[in-house]
Amino acid sequence: MESQIIRYVEENRERLFQIAGDLVRLNSENMPPAGREGECQRYGAALLRGCGWEPELYELSEVAGLREHALFAGNREYAGRPNLAARRRGTGGGRSLVLSGHVDTVPRGTQPWTRDAFGGAMEGGRVYGRGSVDMKAGVALNLFMAEAVVGLGMRLAGDLTVEAVIDEEFGGVNGTLAGRLRGYRADAAIVTEPTSLRVCAGQRGGRTVHISFSARGGILNDNGGRGGVVEQLTHFLVRLRDFAERRNRGVRVHPLYAGCSDPVPVSVTRIFTAPWGTGEPITIPEECKVELYWQLMPGEGQAEVEAEFFEWFDSMITAAPELFGRWPVVEFPIRWMPGSAVDVGEPVVTELAACAAVALGAPAVIAGIEGPCDLFVFHEFGIPAVLWGPAGGNVHAADEYVELDSLASAAKVLLLFVARWCGGSMEGPD
């Protein structure tokens, strides 16, 4: 069975690449509170229907208990943005599995692309485009699994569910939450995020903060702008290292991240004072906005981490009262994203790693993925879940891409795992 599975992927790899390219060419940008996932979801439903599955497209408004759930985040619009799921019932006696991925992407952005962001160009062993690696390649993997099960005539003993959810980016989570409340649960789950062919048994968490500094502006004068927002920003950036060092000194590093030189990085992701160019007057800015993003280890709690931040922030401000005539405004624009992990001894981890060793010819790397995602939602529902997917680059940046050989390798491993986990037999095409 192993050789048949590997041969199937090798013989049908172009089909896998086609699905990935097709998905990239369908714009599914997430731009809260709205998004454009509908066309991608209809594509996936048609593919599943075409190979004999019975897909369900359902609006999040139809999911009982979603808005009342503690994890639900409001201020989102979901009309025309359905979730997609399909379950193939097993013959009985096997373990059930969910293959999950999010179909939404971050926006194209204003960065200078050298290729069409929605062109799905295939060059040099890569597919380029927004969402190619994060994570339409992963969604393509799952859809390809559905076709492969039929193409190989697999009679799975356990139920297999394939789903594509909406609204994962910008701390969405509601799409993945809706899938669990809809009843798509299993003995294990694999989220096909881009892991560079590592078995990722955990995710970091993330916290995004918007800080607004303000002061009197105006044209340059004899005080040289002292006490303005530029000096406030300078003071903030110099002292930010103290916060980063405090985070790394005090955090309990999870074993999945033991090899990281900076297990809980702190980053400035955006600074804004005023539009650039001669359309604006030359003047000292009155306001400066900073976006700060820091990451979290599995096990860290929201209250303790935010208390740590505000203790540092307040001391940073009070250390320079001459700079801060007005107290900066602090806002949290995106939900708290916790870190989360499963034990590396869980069968979903050990058996996926064993399949990777067979298909790739080398021991699998078991680690934690670098950023936050929706993995924690499965863990909240008591479902052992890990991440598995291909390699790529320029995530959230211009000229994003997925490596096609890596995508094919990920497919071999995943198809082996589906056969092993769910059990059953292979009797030839239906």
Side-chain angles (χ1 to χ4, degrees):
M1 183 181 288
E2 289 174 354
S3 61
Q4 286 179 272
I5 285 172
I6 290 173
R7 185 167 62 250
Y8 178 90
V9 175
E10 290 173 345
E11 292 175 351
N12 293 276
R13 56 188 276 140
E14 295 302 322
R15 172 57 177 160
L16 172 60
F17 302 160
Q18 177 191 358
I19 298 171
D22 287 349
L23 290 170
V24 170
R25 285 184 283 274
L26 298 174
N27 183 341
S28 58
E29 292 171 302
N30 189 344
M31 297 176 290
R36 297 173 172 172
E37 300 97 328
E39 193 174 4
C40 259
Q41 298 292 61
R42 290 187 290 273
Y43 170 92
L47 184 151
L48 289 166
R49 198 175 295 113
C51 64
W53 290 55
E54 297 180 2
E56 179 190 26
L57 286 169
Y58 61 94
E59 299 282 342
L60 268 60
S61 59
E62 303 171 9
V63 179
L66 178 62
R67 291 192 171 274
E68 295 76 27
H69 197 279
L71 290 179
F72 180 80
N75 302 317
R76 296 291 223 264
E77 299 170 3
Y78 289 125
R81 305 170 65 188
N83 265 4
L84 168 64
R87 177 184 285 138
R88 191 173 182 87
R89 294 291 185 183
T91 59
R95 295 172 293 184
S96 56
L97 179 67
V98 172
L99 302 179
S100 183
H102 67 86
V103 76
D104 63 308
T105 73
V106 295
R108 177 198 185 281
T110 57
Q111 301 153 315
W113 287 69
T114 63
R115 299 164 180 84
D116 183 352
F118 305 105
M122 191 178 298
E123 303 173 17
R126 299 172 174 177
V127 167
Y128 286 87
R130 174 55 78 225
S132 53
V133 70
D134 183 22
M135 62 167 295
K136 290 187 173 179
V139 175
L141 264 180
N142 297 339
L143 295 174
F144 183 76
M145 292 300 108
E147 287 191 340
V149 165
V150 176
L152 284 165
M154 287 185 176
R155 303 296 191 268
L156 298 176
D159 295 352
L160 177 63
T161 297
V162 170
E163 73 171 4
V165 302
I166 65 164
D167 192 30
E168 187 268 357
E169 300 291 357
F170 301 102
V173 174
N174 291 338
T176 301
L177 175 62
R180 312 292 70 75
L181 295 175
R182 189 72 168 182
Y184 293 108
R185 307 186 193 183
D187 296 318
I190 295 182
V191 183
T192 48
E193 290 276 9
T195 66
S196 298
L197 300 179
R198 299 170 299 165
V199 177
C200 287
Q203 63 168 78
R204 280 175 173 152
R207 196 55 163 148
T208 302
V209 180
H210 286 176
I211 304 168
S212 298
F213 300 102
S214 61
R216 192 181 69 168
I219 192 64
L220 292 172
N221 51 43
D222 59 3
N223 74 354
R226 287 188 293 276
V229 295
V230 174
E231 281 203 330
Q232 293 178 15
L233 175 65
T234 301
H235 176 73
F236 167 82
L237 294 175
V238 169
R239 295 291 295 271
L240 185 59
R241 179 174 294 182
D242 296 339
F243 177 57
E245 291 175 351
R246 179 184 298 191
R247 289 282 297 133
N248 274 287
R249 281 196 311 270
V251 73
R252 181 178 179 182
V253 178
H254 191 277
L256 289 171
Y257 297 91
C260 295
S261 59
D262 188 2
V264 283
V266 176
S267 307
V268 173
T269 53
R270 204 169 307 184
I271 297 175
F272 180 83
T273 55
W276 192 264
T278 54
E280 295 291 325
I282 297 175
T283 184
I284 296 170
E286 297 181 1
E287 186 177 52
C288 177
K289 294 181 180 292
V290 175
E291 184 175 83
L292 182 66
Y293 175 68
W294 73 86
Q295 293 187 276
L296 315 156
M297 281 287 99
E300 288 195 273
Q302 180 175 357
E304 63 187 88
V305 173
E306 290 185 354
E308 182 182 40
F309 166 73
F310 279 113
E311 180 182 346
W312 165 81
F313 186 78
D314 292 352
S315 66
M316 181 268 298
I317 300 298
T318 55
E322 72 282 3
L323 298 181
F324 297 96
R326 302 171 190 168
W327 198 270
V329 176
V330 175
E331 299 172 294
F332 296 101
I334 296 174
R335 72 158 82 223
W336 164 265
M337 295 289 287
S340 190
V342 295
D343 191 279
V344 295
E346 283 282 351
V348 68
V349 178
T350 58
E351 293 183 33
L352 181 59
C355 290
V358 169
L360 305 181
V365 174
I366 299 174
I369 203 167
E370 285 70 24
C373 62
D374 283 4
L375 184 68
F376 78 94
V377 178
F378 289 93
H379 298 165
E380 289 285 336
F381 279 80
I383 301 172
V386 300
L387 306 167
W388 170 260
N394 297 336
V395 177
H396 290 197
D399 292 335
E400 181 182 351
Y401 66 88
V402 62
E403 296 177 3
L404 294 178
D405 284 346
S406 175
L407 181 56
S409 295
K412 292 175 185 178
V413 173
L414 189 57
L415 193 51
L416 281 174
F417 179 78
V418 168
R420 175 171 179 167
W421 184 266
C422 296
S425 61
M426 200 154 62
E427 300 175 3
D430 289 342

